[in-house]
Amino acid sequence: MKKVLVCKEKDERETRVALIPDDIKKLVSMGFEFKVVSGAGLKSGFSDEAYKTAGASIVAKEEDAYDDSEIIVRIMKPESIDGIKKDTLHLSYMDPFNEKELLNKFAAQGIQAVSLEMIPRSTLAQKMDVQSSQTSLAGYVAVVNAAAKLPKILPMMVTPAGTINPARVFIIGVGVAGLQAIATAKRLGARVDAFDTRPVVEEQVKSLGASFVKIDLGEMGQTAQGYAKELTPEQIAKQKEAQAKVCEKANIVITTAKVFGRKAPRLIEKNVLDRMMPGSIVVDMACSTGGNVEGSKLFENVVTENGVTIMSGDLLERQVPYDASKMFSGNITAFLTHAGFYNKEAKEFNVNMEDDIMKGCLLTQGGQIIHERFKA
């Protein structure tokens, strides 16, 4: 398998492209062949001409290239898979826990579907982890967006007219997005507090110059994939009240508790928003999965009666499409050239089910759903 089709995203709000010209040039030298849908990279800053120079052919629409493609790559899950031939390897975000019908269609058509979200969070697979690369950028953008909306500056400033105290930023959830949000807020001069249900991240928070908010929730930990374990109702109530006291003093609050495959936990409710200062900003990075913040709306900003702005924080990486595409493309390139899949001598890509990475992310094969978590 070496004939690859790079699709143009159908959602008008999507700005990224799955592979950039520099990586295609590298992959062409390794034996891969590419077709790219015209305009696929324009919103990210990559022209059709740049793809041609890299060695790709340009096609008017993806359907025109299905018959001559063995691997199809895109960012978001497809709107339709009609026309994709049997045994094609399809790589994209899949949202598999909520898209059982789409999985069944992939299986029925004999398409081999890879869910990029399901790539194992292991050291070996780290360079392929689109979740981490994209949410890291989103954490950065969340802080920049909030700072632009906040009616005060972030750093401390001493002037002849008086001293301006630094803004206070509270980050709830110290995963990849949270760590980048902490680092960004610190670089901009804010005073940063952070909380996570996993005590193990305290040292990471402190290493970035932020303060770790300690809340005794009893026994806690993380899953084998590195996600926080689900809290009991009693632990959630205790966490909410402790967080509320920090939120009252914060100018910016960013919630990052978006857990793949589960509804987002509600961390900030109306009674907490009512206690916050007018003009303060809350960025909810889990709007699409139910929201961490009561009243948040996907792709919309909401202003409460007391003047708190709740900003939508989902898919913020789309606001920096050049770098987001570059990182996503690097992840895909790492996947296609992984030693477990790519044969250097033959210059061929193979779907190797003996490899743990492929076992973790390939959902359909041979006309059926093969991943244990999604079998009926």
Side-chain angles (χ1 to χ4, degrees):
M1 303 178 84
K2 59 184 178 183
K3 295 182 178 181
V4 185
L5 170 64
V6 181
C7 297
K8 179 181 179 181
E9 299 301 313
K10 299 291 179 70
D11 187 341
E12 286 299 317
R13 291 171 297 200
E14 184 55 69
T15 58
R16 298 167 292 172
V17 65
L19 278 166
I20 67 171
D22 281 352
D23 286 328
I24 284 181
K25 183 178 180 180
K26 172 185 175 182
L27 290 166
V28 166
S29 71
M30 299 175 71
F32 288 92
E33 300 172 22
F34 285 90
K35 286 184 169 62
V36 178
V37 177
S38 181
L42 287 180
K43 292 180 181 179
S44 306
F46 305 104
S47 66
D48 287 355
E49 191 59 38
Y51 282 104
K52 288 181 184 178
T53 302
S57 300
I58 304 299
V59 294
K61 54 184 180 179
E62 63 187 65
E63 291 82 1
D64 294 340
Y66 283 165
D67 285 344
D68 194 35
S69 299
E70 298 166 314
I71 302 172
I72 296 176
V73 295
R74 69 176 90 233
I75 291 177
M76 303 307 291
K77 59 194 175 189
E79 293 180 358
S80 170
I81 59 173
D82 291 344
I84 299 178
K85 67 181 183 180
K86 183 181 177 183
D87 294 329
T88 297
L89 183 69
H90 183 283
L91 286 75
S92 72
Y93 282 119
M94 288 283 290
D95 191 18
F97 288 97
N98 299 307
E99 291 289 346
K100 298 295 175 63
E101 184 178 347
L102 179 59
L103 284 187
N104 287 328
K105 286 181 179 178
F106 271 112
Q109 289 184 215
I111 301 167
Q112 302 180 93
V114 166
S115 171
L116 296 176
E117 302 101 317
M118 295 299 293
I119 288 176
R121 302 191 84 181
S122 62
T123 302
L124 184 61
Q126 190 173 19
K127 58 187 177 181
M128 313 172 198
D129 186 358
V130 297
Q131 294 278 70
S132 293
S133 72
Q134 300 301 293
T135 55
S136 177
L137 289 171
Y140 163 84
V141 176
V143 174
V144 172
N145 285 355
K149 192 76 174 175
L150 189 71
K152 74 177 264 73
I153 64 171
L154 265 64
M156 177 180 180
M157 191 176 290
V158 179
T159 76
T163 299
I164 299 173
N165 291 324
R168 299 187 64 153
V169 177
F170 182 31
I171 312 294
I172 304 176
V174 189
V176 175
L179 287 170
Q180 189 57 244
I182 292 169
T184 302
K186 286 298 295 182
R187 284 194 292 264
L188 292 174
R191 174 179 172 178
V192 183
D193 296 301
F195 171 74
D196 196 286
T197 58
R198 300 164 297 162
V200 69
V201 303
E202 180 177 352
E203 288 304 313
Q204 291 177 286
V205 170
K206 290 181 177 178
S207 71
L208 292 171
S211 299
F212 187 76
V213 177
K214 292 188 177 183
I215 304 173
D216 184 8
L217 297 176
E219 185 179 351
M220 284 306 306
Q222 61 185 11
T223 66
Q225 290 273 316
Y227 296 107
K229 287 186 177 179
E230 196 166 0
L231 301 180
T232 65
E234 293 76 17
Q235 288 174 317
I236 291 172
K238 193 171 184 179
Q239 177 187 341
K240 285 180 179 178
E241 181 51 36
Q243 285 174 174
K245 293 177 182 178
V246 184
C247 289
E248 287 179 30
K249 302 174 184 178
N251 303 104
I252 295 172
V253 176
I254 298 175
T255 66
T256 72
K258 185 177 182 180
V259 184
F260 176 55
R262 298 206 307 262
K263 183 178 179 181
R266 182 58 53 84
L267 302 178
I268 298 178
E269 295 173 336
K270 185 179 182 298
N271 68 315
V272 178
L273 295 168
D274 290 342
R275 291 157 62 176
M276 292 180 66
M277 296 180 287
S280 54
I281 309 292
V282 180
V283 183
D284 186 347
M285 298 188 72
C287 294
S288 64
T289 55
N292 297 146
V293 183
E294 184 174 356
S296 66
K297 293 184 179 180
L298 185 61
F299 305 132
E300 292 183 36
N301 291 345
V302 177
V303 180
T304 67
E305 292 180 359
N306 62 317
V308 175
T309 299
I310 307 170
M311 302 182 74
S312 173
D314 257 282
L315 293 167
L316 295 181
E317 57 269 28
R318 289 176 173 176
Q319 295 181 29
V320 286
Y322 179 85
D323 288 317
S325 297
K326 185 177 180 179
M327 294 176 76
F328 194 102
S329 180
N331 297 141
I332 297 297
T333 300
F335 185 91
L336 293 177
T337 58
H338 172 55
F341 312 146
Y342 177 71
N343 185 315
K344 285 185 178 180
E345 288 71 30
K347 292 190 174 182
E348 279 280 352
F349 180 93
N350 301 294
V351 178
N352 177 15
M353 288 308 296
E354 297 301 313
D355 189 280
D356 288 339
I357 295 173
M358 190 64 77
K359 285 179 184 177
C361 64
L362 187 67
L363 307 189
T364 63
Q365 189 182 50
Q368 58 187 328
I369 295 173
I370 62 168
H371 200 291
E372 291 296 330
R373 295 182 72 176
F374 304 105
K375 285 183 179 179

